[in-house]
Amino acid sequence: MAATTSPTSFLLQNPHRHHVKSSISTSYFNTLPLPSPSPKRISISCVASTTTSVGIQNPSSSQNPSDDRVFNFAAGPATLPETVLRKAESELFNWRGSGMSVMEMSHRGKDFTSIIQKAESDLRSLLDIPSDYAVLFLQGGATTQFAAIPLNLCKPDDTVDYVVTGSWSDKAFKEAQKYCKPKVIWSGKSEKYTKIPAFEDLEQSPNAKYMHICANETIHGVEFKNYPNPKSLLVADMSSNFCSKPVDISKFGIIYAGAQKNVGPSGVTIVIIRKDLIGGAQEITPVMLDYKIHHENSSLYNTPPCYGIYMCGLVFEDLLAQGGLREVEKKNKKKAEILYEAINQSNGFYQCPVEPSVRSLMNVPFTLEKAELEGEFVKEAAKEKMVQLKGHRSVGGMRASIYNAMPLAGVEKLVAFMKEFQGRHA
């Protein structure tokens, strides 16, 4: 007796099923149990207009993100542009006729070479990176650079200056203690990291190799609005505001950033370094932390995070299609203004501890006057498809990360929810 053909066996027997009309009876699927309808709930929603990017098609109305996606306010890994995700989805199985996914390609083959070279070219266009700077696509997160930078720029007895405006710059300082003689020339710890120093208040070390800053503190929500001009090199961790606005690269010796906030998935770290700073690493420097090795091998010394670099490339295309970083900055300012205004006009029900002049456009921390309501706020927001609003475990409260890919509609929906929540609990 012949064996019964199941839908699964049909698919296994027809590996090229995307070229074959399905012969599976729809009655099979009609026998599957349907989930019982969930109780209806009044939802707060906003309709967002969509921006079409070059080479990336707009999703159809039947794929409206409000139907099956949440507004993700996570600090990282963070939300990615929907247009980018759709483009990646369309190329996942077979990248542009290559017969392979990007995840399957040799990192030394011509296909991936074209991907990484275009990603670098587009990033150079976005940030107007001068030709005397190298762009490196690395691994290990920005945290690995806390060690790589002093190892590449310093000798063990060299002095370096650190401006500590939050948890990440503090961690960078502590790591540097293993490889040189770092000095904290300013710290905001006593004021719970709510301020940025005036540049004239910085007592720089006369022989410092470099000054290190964190351009935007993800946890505490403080951001440099302009940058100091140190007597030495300026080195900046820009992980959480990288590509969120134009930057004069020539002011810096090194800029480094984890990609997972504004420009891609986790796993890629981008380093932009002036070329004359490459080649002086300490002898103890591991080969994977030596900028000279990565520069000489065009970021391909070993297998890089190929798919992550591809995704970054799609994001760079999208940012260029939006008109570049000046246009992106305008959108980011508008989102932040709406959210901070809602906090300021809440009569103290919501509070942002950060000094107004240095409030981040990317990460907005806030607390409730009635702290006992914070858990309820986070839980109710999640039911309305707004997730990851709980503040970092070290500071508590709430935090809304509103990176480039967070649409205006997401911020508008959050503000509407905040006002409605206040109305019920004030």
Side-chain angles (χ1 to χ4, degrees):
M1 184 171 69
T4 304
T5 301
S6 69
T8 304
S9 63
F10 174 83
L11 296 177
L12 291 174
Q13 292 165 19
N14 293 273
H16 304 291
R17 57 195 177 277
H18 52 292
H19 297 306
V20 182
K21 289 185 178 179
S22 175
S23 61
I24 307 171
S25 170
T26 56
S27 62
Y28 172 85
F29 295 101
N30 291 336
T31 62
L32 295 174
L34 295 174
S36 57
S38 57
K40 288 187 177 180
R41 162 172 87 238
I42 298 175
S43 294
I44 300 166
S45 61
C46 296
V47 178
S49 59
T50 54
T51 304
T52 306
S53 299
V54 175
I56 302 177
Q57 294 183 348
N58 249 352
S60 66
S61 58
S62 64
Q63 296 168 330
N64 190 315
S66 63
D67 293 338
D68 53 8
R69 282 178 58 83
V70 298
F71 287 119
N72 178 10
F73 291 93
T79 191
L80 285 163
E82 184 183 355
T83 48
V84 166
L85 293 173
R86 296 289 186 192
K87 178 68 172 176
E89 180 183 43
S90 73
E91 295 184 333
L92 179 64
F93 184 68
N94 183 351
W95 182 80
R96 303 182 189 181
S98 67
M100 293 179 288
S101 171
V102 174
M103 289 183 280
E104 302 170 300
M105 290 176 179
S106 166
H107 63 292
R108 304 196 190 282
K110 61 181 178 60
D111 288 326
F112 185 73
T113 298
S114 71
I115 289 171
I116 193 170
Q117 288 178 346
K118 186 174 188 305
E120 178 179 338
S121 176
D122 286 347
L123 179 58
R124 285 184 176 276
S125 296
L126 276 170
L127 285 169
D128 195 19
I129 299 173
S131 60
D132 59 336
Y133 283 74
V135 175
L136 307 176
F137 293 96
L138 307 177
Q139 301 180 64
T143 302
T144 300
Q145 299 308 309
F146 296 169
I149 289 166
L151 281 168
N152 279 270
L153 299 188
C154 302
K155 303 305 179 189
D157 291 329
D158 285 342
T159 300
V160 291
D161 288 341
Y162 278 74
V163 179
V164 177
T165 52
S167 294
W168 292 111
S169 44
D170 183 52
K171 289 179 179 180
F173 162 72
K174 289 175 179 174
E175 185 72 359
Q177 289 177 316
K178 302 173 184 176
Y179 310 110
C180 60
K181 304 294 183 185
K183 179 182 178 183
V184 175
I185 61 171
W186 190 91
S187 174
K189 186 174 182 179
S190 63
E191 296 180 86
K192 298 183 178 180
Y193 298 127
T194 56
K195 295 183 178 181
I196 296 285
F199 302 148
E200 57 270 20
D201 294 340
L202 298 175
E203 296 184 11
Q204 299 178 51
S205 303
N207 299 314
K209 278 285 187 175
Y210 62 83
M211 178 192 291
H212 179 282
I213 64 171
C214 181
N216 183 86
E217 288 281 358
T218 317
I219 293 174
H220 295 91
V222 294
E223 181 176 17
F224 280 83
K225 301 304 179 181
N226 46 61
Y227 297 108
N229 292 306
K231 299 171 186 176
S232 55
L233 296 169
L234 182 59
V235 174
D237 176 357
M238 288 193 178
S239 291
S240 52
N241 66 351
F242 186 67
C243 283
S244 67
K245 59 184 178 182
V247 172
D248 182 357
I249 302 296
S250 65
K251 282 190 171 186
F252 302 85
I254 299 177
I255 288 171
Y256 65 100
Q260 69 274 12
K261 317 289 188 177
N262 267 316
V263 298
S266 60
V268 182
T269 306
I270 296 169
V271 173
I272 301 171
I273 178 172
R274 211 172 68 204
K275 291 178 182 177
D276 65 320
L277 300 176
I278 298 172
Q282 295 183 31
E283 289 185 6
I284 65 168
T285 304
V287 66
M288 288 304 294
L289 299 189
D290 190 335
Y291 294 142
K292 184 173 184 286
I293 295 293
H294 293 293
H295 177 51
E296 289 179 343
N297 290 276
S298 303
S299 301
L300 298 171
Y301 173 72
N302 71 323
T303 307
C306 297
Y307 197 78
I309 293 168
Y310 157 74
M311 289 295 293
C312 288
L314 293 186
V315 172
F316 299 151
E317 285 182 18
D318 183 69
L319 294 175
L320 286 168
Q322 291 182 49
L325 297 187
R326 293 196 183 282
E327 292 303 314
V328 170
E329 182 183 26
K330 289 177 185 177
K331 296 175 183 178
N332 287 332
K333 283 183 174 179
K334 183 176 182 180
K335 291 183 294 186
E337 285 169 4
I338 290 172
L339 184 48
Y340 283 121
E341 184 180 13
I343 294 170
N344 294 339
Q345 293 184 352
S346 69
N347 295 319
F349 186 84
Y350 301 106
Q351 299 170 359
C352 176
V354 178
E355 182 182 290
S357 64
V358 294
R359 287 178 174 176
S360 170
L361 298 185
M362 300 285 99
N363 310 102
V364 181
F366 60 97
T367 58
L368 266 65
E369 184 179 30
K370 302 175 182 178
E372 66 274 12
L373 291 175
E374 290 176 358
E376 185 177 348
F377 179 97
V378 171
K379 190 178 296 185
E380 289 191 16
K383 290 179 181 177
E384 296 294 339
K385 292 191 173 183
M386 293 174 286
V387 302
Q388 299 296 324
L389 282 164
K390 187 176 180 180
H392 190 270
R393 60 187 179 277
S394 64
V395 296
M398 273 76 64
R399 173 180 53 180
S401 294
I402 50 175
Y403 299 124
N404 290 349
M406 172 57 65
L408 177 61
V411 177
E412 290 175 336
K413 181 171 181 176
L414 174 59
V415 167
F417 171 76
M418 289 168 67
K419 291 178 179 178
E420 187 270 341
F421 188 89
Q422 180 180 355
R424 287 189 283 116
H425 296 285

